Each structure stands twice: as C-alpha cells, then as structure tokens.
Amino acid sequence: EAQVTQNPRYLITVTGKKLTVTCSQNMNHEYMSWYRQDPGLGLRQIYYSMNVEVTDKGDVPEGYKVSRKEKRNFPLILESPSPNQTSLYFCASSLMRKTGYNEQFFGPGTRLTVL
Amino acid sequence: KQEVTQIPAALSVPEGENLVLNCSFTDSAIYNLQWFRQDPGKGLTSLLLIQSSQREQTSGRLNASLDKSSGRSTLYIAASQPGDSATYLCAGNTGNQFYFGTGTSLTVIP
C-alpha cells in the first residue's frame, strides 16, 4: 500500500530534550516536506527536500533541522524543543514531473507536546 | 510572502444543497493547486489537483477550478451529504514551496 508513515504518533517531552520524528514514504517520491498545523494558523511549511541531500527552508524553519540521506526517509529533528513547538506535525511527499508537482500525500500526523 | 484566504471559515448547510468554497492567493503565480479534506484529529486526504496546464478538475460530486489571473480557486460540492462534513483546505505552490489556507469547516445537517 502506498503510504507515508510517521513515528511517533504522539509525543510528550520536556524543554531542551532532543527528539527526532521519523518520516518514510514507499512511493519513490522525490519531494518530501514537513509542516506544522496550529489552530488559526493553518499548515505552515517547515522544511522541504527535492531529492537526496537537497533540502531547503520553508516558512517556519527556526528550531528545526532535517536531513535527506535516503530517498524514502526525511526525519525532523528538534535539537532543543521549546513549548512554542507544541503542535501537530505532518510529513508529506510528492512526485515531481515536468508539468510540476503531482499531488501531495500526507502522513497521519505527530502530535507533539513540549512541557 | 504568499497569503492564502479561505472563505467562508465555517459553513453549515442542510443535506442535498450545492455549495461553493473559495480560496484566494495574494500572489497569483500559483503553479499547481490542490484541495484536501481533513477530518477531526486526522491527516489530510487529497481531493483534487489542478496542475499548471489545467483550469479545472472533477471527481464525482466535486469540481475545482483555478483562475490563474486572479489567484482564486473554487471547490464546488454538489448534492452535499452528512459524510461531507469535514474541514476543506486548499494549497498551492509558488516554486518549490507550498502554502495552505486555514480551511473551511463544513457541516452538512441530515
């Protein structure tokens, strides 16, 4: 089954404790992206990657890191989480075509609480 | 910076009505536009994608159109059903970045 998986689905942590949220897709998509969703603000793009070893900042990259060492995986790293990073996080992937991006597929989300 | 507005923010209609959801971008240079559905506490499900060479797409009771000159898109839902109750999000890309609206929360009353 074609899918985007994220782990963990729920995480409660404390300020300053480094964490990683994993994202994996099995569709051989070039493009992968991380978003955060907050009430009243909608989804905002954190980082994206157009292929292995190619990453770039979205609108809200501060406090986050990413890496793309393999095509299927795109982990999100919070090196020193703070309470303002409490949010619902989504990973997404998309095929890239000459006509532009194909549809984005989303993972189930990771609900993060930073105390 | 691209800003995306969805109107209305919330909508409640009786079952069977046809309805229109609106989405507009401050920068009309949108390449592709995608409509999603999000159920409470769930992820996003893709509904329709309008690619750069297209103006509209249809799937079942759903029809989406994109006016690139104005940066506006509409999602038309025909003969609404209670199962259509959800939040509907539009998203477009400018270059390699994607921008989302804050959504329209739809309730279809049986």
Side-chain angles (χ1 to χ4, degrees):
Chain A
E1 180 190 354
Q3 60 183 352
V4 179
T5 57
Q6 294 179 227
N7 282 293
R9 295 287 314 280
Y10 302 91
L11 180 60
I12 300 175
T13 189
V14 296
T15 299
K17 186 176 181 182
K18 181 178 178 179
L19 65 93
T20 299
V21 184
T22 64
C23 172
S24 183
Q25 50 92 7
N26 62 1
M27 296 168 278
N28 202 35
H29 287 170
E30 296 89 356
Y31 188 90
M32 296 187 74
S33 181
W34 277 102
Y35 299 88
R36 60 178 289 174
Q37 186 176 32
D38 302 289
L41 297 176
L43 275 89
R44 294 176 292 168
Q45 196 168 30
I46 302 171
Y47 269 95
Y48 62 91
S49 170
M50 295 174 64
N51 215 325
V52 175
E53 303 291 2
V54 181
T55 63
D56 210 343
K57 298 177 181 179
D59 265 358
V60 288
E62 295 78 19
Y64 305 95
K65 282 178 59 176
V66 293
S67 68
R68 187 95 181 269
K69 292 182 169 48
E70 304 166 285
K71 196 172 186 179
R72 64 183 293 124
N73 297 323
F74 191 44
L76 179 69
I77 302 156
L78 285 73
E79 297 221 322
S80 184
S82 61
N84 64 12
Q85 292 179 298
T86 293
S87 187
L88 179 58
Y89 291 86
F90 288 104
C91 180
S93 72
S94 171
L95 199 60
M96 290 172 64
R97 298 184 182 278
K98 289 181 181 178
T99 52
Y101 290 94
N102 209 358
E103 61 183 318
Q104 284 195 88
F105 291 86
F106 276 74
T110 295
R111 187 165 293 280
L112 172 65
T113 302
V114 183
L115 302 175
Chain B
K1 181 191 166 184
Q2 181 74 272
E3 303 280 347
V4 187
T5 302
Q6 288 191 246
I7 294 173
L11 184 61
S12 184
V13 299
E15 181 177 2
E17 272 205 7
N18 302 325
L19 55 101
V20 175
L21 308 182
N22 297 289
C23 170
S24 63
F25 294 79
T26 52
D27 181 349
S28 62
I30 297 297
Y31 293 167
N32 299 326
L33 185 129
Q34 195 169 356
W35 281 92
F36 295 88
R37 169 191 173 129
Q38 186 176 27
D39 293 287
K42 304 286 188 182
L44 279 71
T45 301
S46 176
L47 297 173
L48 291 165
L49 169 71
I50 303 175
Q51 291 192 303
S52 56
S53 59
Q54 301 169 328
R55 289 193 174 182
E56 68 175 318
Q57 280 289 333
T58 297
S59 176
R61 295 182 292 108
L62 306 180
N63 174 273
S65 64
L66 174 61
D67 180 349
K68 291 203 169 191
S69 63
S70 64
R72 295 173 186 261
S73 177
T74 59
L75 177 66
Y76 176 81
I77 303 177
S80 58
Q81 303 171 356
D84 294 333
S85 298
T87 297
Y88 291 81
L89 300 164
C90 64
N93 70 296
T94 302
N96 299 316
Q97 281 194 248
F98 285 82
Y99 299 91
F100 278 77
T102 51
T104 293
S105 178
L106 173 64
T107 302
V108 181
I109 303 164

Short mmCIF file of all heavy atoms in Angstrom, two decimals, chain A residues 42-70:
data_model
loop_
_atom_site.label_atom_id
_atom_site.label_comp_id
_atom_site.label_asym_id
_atom_site.label_seq_id
_atom_site.Cartn_x
_atom_site.Cartn_y
_atom_site.Cartn_z
N GLY A 42 -3.31 27.46 10.37
CA GLY A 42 -3.27 26.51 9.27
C GLY A 42 -1.98 25.72 9.23
O GLY A 42 -1.24 25.65 10.21
N LEU A 43 -1.70 25.13 8.09
CA LEU A 43 -0.45 24.39 7.90
C LEU A 43 0.62 25.33 7.38
O LEU A 43 0.39 26.09 6.43
CB LEU A 43 -0.64 23.25 6.89
CG LEU A 43 -1.18 21.95 7.43
CD1 LEU A 43 -2.69 21.96 7.39
CD2 LEU A 43 -0.63 20.77 6.63
N ARG A 44 1.79 25.25 7.99
CA ARG A 44 2.91 26.04 7.54
C ARG A 44 4.09 25.12 7.27
O ARG A 44 4.37 24.21 8.05
CB ARG A 44 3.27 27.09 8.60
CG ARG A 44 2.20 28.15 8.80
CD ARG A 44 2.57 29.11 9.92
NE ARG A 44 2.55 28.43 11.21
CZ ARG A 44 3.05 28.95 12.32
NH1 ARG A 44 3.63 30.13 12.30
NH2 ARG A 44 2.98 28.27 13.46
N GLN A 45 4.78 25.40 6.19
CA GLN A 45 5.87 24.53 5.76
C GLN A 45 7.13 24.83 6.56
O GLN A 45 7.55 25.98 6.69
CB GLN A 45 6.12 24.71 4.27
CG GLN A 45 6.95 23.62 3.64
CD GLN A 45 6.94 23.68 2.12
OE1 GLN A 45 6.81 24.76 1.54
NE2 GLN A 45 7.07 22.53 1.47
N ILE A 46 7.75 23.78 7.08
CA ILE A 46 8.95 23.94 7.92
C ILE A 46 10.21 23.80 7.05
O ILE A 46 11.04 24.70 6.98
CB ILE A 46 8.97 22.89 9.04
CG1 ILE A 46 7.71 23.00 9.91
CG2 ILE A 46 10.21 23.07 9.92
CD1 ILE A 46 7.54 21.86 10.89
N TYR A 47 10.35 22.65 6.44
CA TYR A 47 11.45 22.34 5.52
C TYR A 47 10.91 21.48 4.40
O TYR A 47 9.90 20.79 4.56
CB TYR A 47 12.56 21.56 6.24
CG TYR A 47 13.64 22.40 6.87
CD1 TYR A 47 13.58 22.75 8.22
CD2 TYR A 47 14.74 22.82 6.13
CE1 TYR A 47 14.57 23.51 8.79
CE2 TYR A 47 15.74 23.58 6.71
CZ TYR A 47 15.65 23.92 8.04
OH TYR A 47 16.65 24.68 8.62
N TYR A 48 11.62 21.48 3.29
CA TYR A 48 11.30 20.57 2.21
C TYR A 48 12.59 20.06 1.58
O TYR A 48 13.67 20.63 1.76
CB TYR A 48 10.38 21.22 1.16
CG TYR A 48 10.96 22.43 0.46
CD1 TYR A 48 11.67 22.30 -0.73
CD2 TYR A 48 10.75 23.71 0.97
CE1 TYR A 48 12.18 23.41 -1.38
CE2 TYR A 48 11.26 24.82 0.33
CZ TYR A 48 11.97 24.68 -0.84
OH TYR A 48 12.47 25.78 -1.48
N SER A 49 12.43 18.98 0.83
CA SER A 49 13.57 18.37 0.16
C SER A 49 13.16 17.94 -1.24
O SER A 49 12.13 17.28 -1.41
CB SER A 49 14.05 17.15 0.96
OG SER A 49 15.00 16.40 0.21
N MET A 50 13.96 18.32 -2.21
CA MET A 50 13.62 17.98 -3.59
C MET A 50 14.28 16.68 -4.04
O MET A 50 13.94 16.14 -5.09
CB MET A 50 13.99 19.12 -4.52
CG MET A 50 13.15 20.36 -4.25
SD MET A 50 13.67 21.78 -5.20
CE MET A 50 13.33 21.20 -6.84
N ASN A 51 15.25 16.21 -3.26
CA ASN A 51 15.85 14.92 -3.54
C ASN A 51 16.90 14.64 -2.48
O ASN A 51 17.12 15.46 -1.57
CB ASN A 51 16.48 14.88 -4.94
CG ASN A 51 16.34 13.51 -5.60
OD1 ASN A 51 16.41 12.48 -4.94
ND2 ASN A 51 16.12 13.51 -6.90
N VAL A 52 17.57 13.53 -2.57
CA VAL A 52 18.59 13.15 -1.59
C VAL A 52 19.63 14.26 -1.49
O VAL A 52 20.10 14.78 -2.51
CB VAL A 52 19.24 11.81 -1.98
CG1 VAL A 52 20.37 11.48 -1.02
CG2 VAL A 52 18.21 10.70 -2.00
N GLU A 53 19.93 14.63 -0.26
CA GLU A 53 20.95 15.64 0.05
C GLU A 53 20.57 17.05 -0.41
O GLU A 53 21.43 17.94 -0.40
CB GLU A 53 22.32 15.25 -0.55
CG GLU A 53 22.86 13.90 -0.11
CD GLU A 53 23.27 13.86 1.37
OE1 GLU A 53 23.10 14.87 2.09
OE2 GLU A 53 23.72 12.79 1.81
N VAL A 54 19.33 17.27 -0.80
CA VAL A 54 18.86 18.60 -1.21
C VAL A 54 17.71 19.01 -0.31
O VAL A 54 16.60 18.46 -0.40
CB VAL A 54 18.40 18.61 -2.68
CG1 VAL A 54 17.94 20.03 -3.07
CG2 VAL A 54 19.50 18.13 -3.61
N THR A 55 17.98 19.96 0.60
CA THR A 55 16.92 20.43 1.50
C THR A 55 16.90 21.95 1.49
O THR A 55 17.90 22.59 1.16
CB THR A 55 17.14 19.94 2.94
OG1 THR A 55 18.37 20.49 3.44
CG2 THR A 55 17.20 18.42 3.01
N ASP A 56 15.75 22.50 1.86
CA ASP A 56 15.64 23.95 1.89
C ASP A 56 14.59 24.36 2.90
O ASP A 56 13.71 23.57 3.28
CB ASP A 56 15.27 24.50 0.52
CG ASP A 56 15.81 25.91 0.28
OD1 ASP A 56 16.20 26.58 1.28
OD2 ASP A 56 15.87 26.34 -0.87
N LYS A 57 14.70 25.62 3.36
CA LYS A 57 13.81 26.12 4.40
C LYS A 57 12.46 26.48 3.83
O LYS A 57 12.36 27.03 2.73
CB LYS A 57 14.43 27.36 5.05
CG LYS A 57 15.74 27.10 5.75
CD LYS A 57 16.32 28.40 6.30
CE LYS A 57 17.65 28.14 6.98
NZ LYS A 57 18.25 29.39 7.50
N GLY A 58 11.44 26.21 4.64
CA GLY A 58 10.11 26.70 4.33
C GLY A 58 9.87 28.01 5.05
O GLY A 58 10.81 28.79 5.26
N ASP A 59 8.65 28.22 5.49
CA ASP A 59 8.30 29.49 6.13
C ASP A 59 8.69 29.57 7.60
O ASP A 59 8.91 30.65 8.12
CB ASP A 59 6.79 29.71 6.01
CG ASP A 59 6.45 30.56 4.81
OD1 ASP A 59 7.37 30.99 4.10
OD2 ASP A 59 5.24 30.80 4.60
N VAL A 60 8.75 28.42 8.28
CA VAL A 60 8.99 28.44 9.73
C VAL A 60 10.08 27.44 10.13
O VAL A 60 9.84 26.51 10.88
CB VAL A 60 7.69 28.17 10.51
CG1 VAL A 60 6.76 29.37 10.44
CG2 VAL A 60 6.99 26.91 10.00
N PRO A 61 11.32 27.61 9.66
CA PRO A 61 12.37 26.61 9.91
C PRO A 61 13.07 26.73 11.26
O PRO A 61 13.78 25.81 11.68
CB PRO A 61 13.36 26.91 8.79
CG PRO A 61 13.24 28.39 8.57
CD PRO A 61 11.78 28.69 8.80
N GLU A 62 12.87 27.87 11.97
CA GLU A 62 13.65 28.11 13.18
C GLU A 62 13.37 27.04 14.23
O GLU A 62 12.23 26.76 14.56
CB GLU A 62 13.32 29.49 13.76
CG GLU A 62 13.71 30.66 12.87
CD GLU A 62 12.74 30.90 11.73
OE1 GLU A 62 11.58 30.40 11.81
OE2 GLU A 62 13.13 31.53 10.74
N GLY A 63 14.45 26.46 14.76
CA GLY A 63 14.34 25.46 15.81
C GLY A 63 14.24 24.03 15.30
O GLY A 63 14.11 23.10 16.09
N TYR A 64 14.31 23.87 14.00
CA TYR A 64 14.20 22.54 13.39
C TYR A 64 15.39 22.25 12.49
O TYR A 64 16.02 23.15 11.97
CB TYR A 64 12.93 22.44 12.52
CG TYR A 64 11.65 22.77 13.24
CD1 TYR A 64 11.12 24.06 13.18
CD2 TYR A 64 10.98 21.80 13.97
CE1 TYR A 64 9.94 24.37 13.84
CE2 TYR A 64 9.80 22.10 14.63
CZ TYR A 64 9.28 23.38 14.56
OH TYR A 64 8.11 23.69 15.21
N LYS A 65 15.70 20.97 12.36
CA LYS A 65 16.68 20.50 11.39
C LYS A 65 16.09 19.32 10.65
O LYS A 65 15.23 18.60 11.18
CB LYS A 65 17.97 20.06 12.10
CG LYS A 65 18.87 21.18 12.55
CD LYS A 65 20.09 20.65 13.29
CE LYS A 65 20.91 19.71 12.45
NZ LYS A 65 22.15 19.27 13.15
N VAL A 66 16.59 19.09 9.45
CA VAL A 66 16.18 17.92 8.67
C VAL A 66 17.41 17.33 7.99
O VAL A 66 18.46 17.97 7.90
CB VAL A 66 15.13 18.27 7.59
CG1 VAL A 66 13.80 18.68 8.21
CG2 VAL A 66 15.66 19.33 6.65
N SER A 67 17.25 16.12 7.51
CA SER A 67 18.29 15.51 6.67
C SER A 67 17.61 14.61 5.66
O SER A 67 16.51 14.11 5.90
CB SER A 67 19.29 14.73 7.51
OG SER A 67 18.68 13.58 8.08
N ARG A 68 18.25 14.40 4.53
CA ARG A 68 17.70 13.50 3.50
C ARG A 68 18.87 12.68 2.95
O ARG A 68 19.46 12.98 1.93
CB ARG A 68 17.04 14.32 2.39
CG ARG A 68 16.31 13.45 1.37
CD ARG A 68 14.88 13.31 1.68
NE ARG A 68 14.15 12.48 0.75
CZ ARG A 68 13.54 12.95 -0.35
NH1 ARG A 68 13.63 14.25 -0.65
NH2 ARG A 68 12.87 12.12 -1.14
N LYS A 69 19.17 11.62 3.69
CA LYS A 69 20.27 10.75 3.30
C LYS A 69 19.80 9.63 2.37
O LYS A 69 20.60 9.04 1.63
CB LYS A 69 20.95 10.18 4.53
CG LYS A 69 21.70 11.24 5.34
CD LYS A 69 22.39 10.64 6.53
CE LYS A 69 23.35 11.60 7.19
NZ LYS A 69 22.81 12.94 7.45
N GLU A 70 18.54 9.29 2.47
CA GLU A 70 17.94 8.29 1.60
C GLU A 70 16.68 8.87 1.01
O GLU A 70 16.03 9.72 1.64
CB GLU A 70 17.56 7.04 2.39
CG GLU A 70 18.68 6.39 3.16
CD GLU A 70 18.11 5.39 4.16
OE1 GLU A 70 17.56 5.82 5.19
OE2 GLU A 70 18.19 4.18 3.87
#
